[in-house]
Amino acid sequence: MMSEIQGSNSPMVLRRVTGADGIPRVIVEGNCTLTALGERIRPIAAELSEYATAPELRWDLTQIARMDDAGAVLLWRGWGNQRPRYLFVRPEHERLFDRLEETWTPPSEATPDRLWPIMVLGKAVFLLWEHLVGLVILMGQLVLEIKYLAGHPSRIPWREISANLYRTGAQALGITALVGFLIGVVLSYLSSRQLQIFGAHIFIVNILGISVIRELGPMLAAILVAGRSGSSMTAQLGVMRVTEELDALTVMGIPHSLRLILPKVIALGLAMPLVVLWTSAVALIGGMTVAEFQLGLGYKFFLSRLPDAVAVSNLWLGLGKGIVCGMAIALISCHFGLRIKSNTESLGEGTTNSVVTSITVVIIIDAIFAVIFSDVGLR
Amino acid sequence: MPKNNCIIEVEGLYTQFGNHVVHENIGLCVQRGEVLTLVGGSGSGKTALMRQMLGLETPAQGTVKVFGEPLRDRNRQQIQNMRNRCGVLFQKGALFSALSVYDNIALPMRELRTLDEEMIRDLVMLKLEMVEIAPVHANKMPAELSGGMIKRIALARAMALNPELLFLDEPTAGLDPELSEGFVSLIKTMQSELTFTIIMATHDLDTLVALSDRVAVLADKRLVALGTVREVINTKHAFISNFFCGVRGRKTLENNSIL
């Protein structure tokens, strides 16, 4: 088999001879194809351009066994993109050169503008504006859908809501528990070392209680859910765009906002406070375990001190953050999902943007809550 | 030595998806330089057989030899060499949506690492000319193109390395009759210019009659007929009489003066 390939693929050779009449000629032999040329393409190109400097040379291509367009282009470029004065070629190969003579040149790329920094900045501002408008429109649409559903309760997409609730809530319990527990352990360990210096063991309850219930629990849950469920929502809508499923829904008269987006927003709005509660609880358990080992504070004592140390309004604040963050994550993910164009590049880019934006927005929401409720639950 | 002239050799091939048997003991030899068409009803495993020839799927039993060597047990270099000698036109084109038309065709050439960028440019423009795509479209993205253009550009990409073996999966599916006729004549001219072997799966009788040298009919999990169109239509089998000798089939065959 190998010998057969070798036989049919003997590579191209250039031979310079001087005929009986004293006229120099170059005879090209062998296979002038891309596969036969392989690595030898550069040396042959160099050899060709060397010969091409002599215009009186006769080129004899009649000995070529096979030639494809790669071979023709190689010769053509060797000749400096023109036909040599004396060329002998078989008619079936003539056609390749005819085509090269009339070959089209590619349209030139647009040269970069000198004002590009301003252009880039302007485009970024417009893009931000576009996103804001898009989000507001989406929210408005959802409000209209809710109004519609209030009049037609039979149209409420229960099944979609419950599926999303399961996917974003129940399936997120494992990862949020693991991360929450570890953060609780680390926080408790580091704080207890500091508190031991001052002999203020008891304040571990205050530190853990306030930081976990008011701040860390909701934030950890929101960031994990943004990464986990937000990316999946964006990718799902994006792939539905690529496979034209979104268009199929539109032609069936099923609005995206009612059947795809509203269930996601409602489900995440319901699931998030529960995930927040769960994460905070597991983080506290982690903290309690370390407090028992490190400081000798029993869990019974810890739990009985907790209501005194942490006002219950902190819990409501944490849950409230959960609801707002959950709905914001779902809205942003859906917004980016619907913007995806039907190509793979856009899908990846859209998912990244969605996750980055969701996490940023979650932290901004947290900051806003901190400012507004600065005098709630802290004494 | 007819056996040595096989560019693809399939022997005792069984395919199974779960409990569903698709092929039973299929043997086939694709001759160098011919156009072989695989036909069969939906689910008869045309595409599965083609994917096995490409090495995208492994048969449950049996061997597929491409260029005389089995697809399995090859090292990286051998696989790459084999791939460079095959071109595939996928049913929906499978152009890379992140790359422009130009880059889609240039990609296999760049991967060779022996061609410089200027030569690649000339070659890409030649290929575009060959499939009759105006250079204005070179910088467009696949999402901006019509179905017919995507097919033609996909053909240009499949032809980028001047393969010896070309696989066409439903080359005219999704094209209007005029476009598909143009596409068929395009493939025909290219085949006469650049002599390569074509393996094609199609449902379209016009395409089949216009292009094929030989036809392989898959039905009842087996290869029920193999030969020229004339030989195949004389084979007695329910699928063949339905497919070729139905109302539409008769018309096509009569138009091409085969009946």
Side-chain angles (χ1 to χ4, degrees):
Chain A
M1 181 62 204
M2 282 318 282
S3 62
E4 184 206 332
I5 290 174
Q6 298 286 305
S8 67
N9 272 10
S10 63
M12 160 180 177
V13 188
L14 300 173
R15 212 148 46 84
R16 190 191 168 115
V17 288
T18 310
D21 45 2
I23 299 168
R25 53 178 71 225
V26 173
I27 300 175
V28 186
E29 289 174 324
N31 280 292
C32 201
T33 60
L34 192 56
T35 27
L37 284 165
E39 296 286 333
R40 298 198 51 237
I41 219 157
R42 269 162 231 249
I44 286 179
E47 210 179 331
L48 272 172
S49 46
E50 197 179 303
Y51 285 133
T53 49
E56 292 306 311
L57 211 57
R58 264 71 170 160
W59 288 88
D60 185 357
L61 306 188
T62 50
Q63 308 293 315
I64 290 178
R66 281 164 58 216
M67 179 156 71
D68 62 9
D69 46 7
V73 168
L74 182 67
L75 285 165
W76 191 254
R77 296 183 57 81
W79 297 331
N81 295 324
Q82 55 177 354
R83 203 179 267 265
R85 200 176 298 166
Y86 306 102
L87 177 66
F88 306 99
V89 62
R90 291 222 299 268
E92 66 261 37
H93 297 154
E94 181 73 43
R95 212 174 30 206
L96 288 166
F97 293 113
D98 287 347
R99 199 178 266 163
L100 272 169
E101 252 170 334
E102 62 192 50
T103 197
W104 299 320
T105 44
S108 56
E109 303 259 331
T111 46
D113 205 338
R114 227 179 292 165
L115 289 173
W116 68 268
I118 300 171
M119 298 283 280
V120 169
L121 186 69
K123 271 184 193 156
V125 170
F126 278 117
L127 189 67
L128 185 67
W129 179 247
E130 214 180 296
H131 279 300
L132 284 175
V133 171
L135 270 172
V136 170
I137 290 175
L138 194 61
M139 276 193 263
Q141 251 174 354
L142 292 185
V143 170
L144 290 179
E145 295 296 351
I146 289 170
K147 205 179 117 197
Y148 169 78
L149 288 179
H152 306 76
S154 63
R155 290 259 172 191
I156 297 177
W158 293 115
R159 194 185 284 265
E160 284 88 342
I161 292 176
S162 114
N164 276 301
L165 205 54
Y166 176 69
R167 221 174 298 144
T168 54
Q171 291 191 335
L173 293 183
I175 185 70
T176 47
L178 180 68
V179 174
F181 186 82
L182 291 177
I183 292 284
V185 164
V186 171
L187 188 68
S188 178
Y189 181 74
L190 293 178
S191 320
S192 60
R193 293 290 293 270
Q194 303 299 313
L195 291 172
Q196 268 175 329
I197 301 172
F198 304 106
H201 296 158
I202 263 185
F203 289 106
I204 189 76
V205 184
N206 298 48
I207 291 179
L208 276 180
I210 288 284
S211 60
V212 167
I213 293 174
R214 189 181 169 107
E215 201 57 48
L216 282 176
M219 277 305 95
L220 277 179
I223 290 171
L224 284 174
V225 166
R228 203 185 153 278
S229 310
S231 59
S232 95
M233 287 177 185
T234 309
Q236 189 200 357
L237 288 178
V239 173
M240 285 180 86
R241 166 80 70 210
V242 174
T243 54
E244 295 185 318
E245 285 170 57
L246 287 183
D247 301 334
L249 278 177
T250 312
V251 260
M252 287 181 204
I254 301 171
H256 309 156
S257 46
L258 178 65
R259 295 297 275 277
L260 290 175
I261 299 168
L262 190 68
K264 288 185 175 32
V265 175
I266 290 179
L268 207 52
L270 287 174
M272 264 301 283
L274 300 175
V275 175
V276 166
L277 198 65
W278 165 259
T279 315
S280 302
V282 177
L284 281 179
I285 291 172
M288 254 165 21
T289 319
V290 172
E292 177 143 23
F293 281 115
Q294 198 75 20
L295 303 171
L297 287 180
Y299 68 95
K300 269 186 190 152
F301 174 76
F302 193 103
L303 287 178
S304 65
R305 272 284 295 162
L306 197 59
D308 303 330
V310 186
V312 77
S313 50
N314 286 305
L315 184 64
W316 297 126
L317 205 57
L319 297 185
K321 273 188 205 172
I323 298 174
V324 175
C325 288
M327 294 176 105
I329 291 168
L331 266 175
I332 290 169
S333 310
C334 292
H335 167 71
F336 277 98
L338 290 176
R339 280 175 60 88
I340 285 172
K341 300 194 181 61
S342 56
N343 65 66
T344 47
E345 182 101 330
S346 163
L347 183 61
E349 199 186 338
T351 312
T352 309
N353 285 343
S354 150
V355 172
V356 171
T357 314
S358 314
I359 291 178
T360 317
V361 166
V362 158
I363 290 169
I364 292 173
I365 289 174
D366 184 51
I368 294 172
F369 264 80
V371 173
I372 295 177
F373 298 101
S374 55
D375 52 356
V376 176
L378 299 171
R379 35 187 100 123
Chain B
M1 291 196 301
K3 253 241 172 304
N4 283 350
N5 210 23
C6 290
I7 198 157
I8 294 185
E9 232 180 310
V10 177
E11 269 170 22
L13 178 126
Y14 284 78
T15 311
Q16 215 170 341
F17 296 122
N19 286 329
H20 177 58
V21 180
V22 181
H23 298 135
E24 265 179 16
N25 197 13
I26 286 191
L28 181 66
C29 160
V30 183
Q31 309 274 333
R32 204 172 279 272
E34 75 170 342
V35 181
L36 179 85
T37 309
L38 300 171
V39 289
S42 298
S44 61
K46 302 182 295 288
T47 307
L49 185 58
M50 202 182 253
R51 288 174 68 85
Q52 283 163 352
M53 290 175 178
L54 285 166
L56 293 172
E57 274 164 27
T58 324
Q61 252 186 64
T63 54
V64 179
K65 287 183 180 177
V66 178
F67 301 120
E69 279 171 79
L71 278 177
R72 281 184 238 178
D73 321 318
R74 291 195 187 191
N75 63 30
R76 183 188 280 259
Q77 191 56 46
Q78 285 170 320
I79 289 174
Q80 191 57 50
N81 287 342
M82 192 272 281
R83 293 279 179 222
N84 287 348
R85 294 164 70 189
C86 296
V88 188
L89 172 68
F90 288 95
Q91 192 171 347
K92 289 178 189 158
L95 293 180
F96 300 114
S97 56
L99 301 179
S100 68
V101 168
Y102 179 93
D103 290 327
N104 258 293
I105 303 175
L107 181 76
M109 302 179 189
R110 288 190 181 133
E111 286 298 305
L112 274 185
R113 316 227 176 241
T114 52
L115 300 173
D116 57 38
E117 201 52 40
E118 283 177 25
M119 189 154 168
I120 289 177
R121 197 194 61 212
D122 285 358
L123 281 172
V124 171
M125 293 331 279
L126 256 184
K127 302 285 176 199
L128 281 178
E129 195 188 335
M130 201 162 64
V131 295
E132 292 157 13
I133 297 280
V136 241
H137 303 302
N139 286 336
K140 286 194 180 164
M141 301 306 276
E144 300 167 47
L145 303 171
S146 68
M149 281 171 79
I150 287 181
K151 272 263 160 86
R152 278 184 285 159
I153 291 160
L155 182 64
R157 186 181 71 178
M159 298 296 304
L161 300 181
N162 301 314
E164 295 161 52
L165 190 54
L166 186 66
F167 292 87
L168 308 174
D169 190 3
E170 302 275 0
T172 51
L175 300 181
D176 66 39
E178 199 180 331
L179 265 179
S180 69
E181 208 164 285
F183 201 75
V184 165
S185 66
L186 176 68
I187 294 172
K188 220 172 180 176
T189 18
M190 279 168 63
Q191 214 243 352
S192 67
E193 275 182 28
L194 308 157
T195 53
F196 42 77
T197 314
I198 295 181
I199 296 161
M200 171 168 75
T202 188
H203 278 299
D204 185 21
L205 254 179
D206 288 303
T207 315
L208 180 142
V209 172
L211 285 177
S212 5
D213 295 323
R214 285 200 305 160
V215 180
V217 185
L218 289 168
D220 305 336
K221 302 167 189 170
R222 293 167 184 283
L223 192 66
V224 291
L226 176 66
T228 60
V229 180
R230 246 174 241 277
E231 287 164 16
V232 165
I233 51 177
N234 291 327
T235 313
K236 288 225 178 327
H237 189 274
F239 173 76
I240 294 174
S241 50
N242 271 332
F243 187 78
F244 290 97
C245 306
V247 180
R248 284 190 48 207
R250 266 182 188 283
K251 213 179 246 174
T252 316
L253 295 177
E254 272 162 20
N255 287 347
N256 290 281
S257 57
I258 287 179
L259 270 184

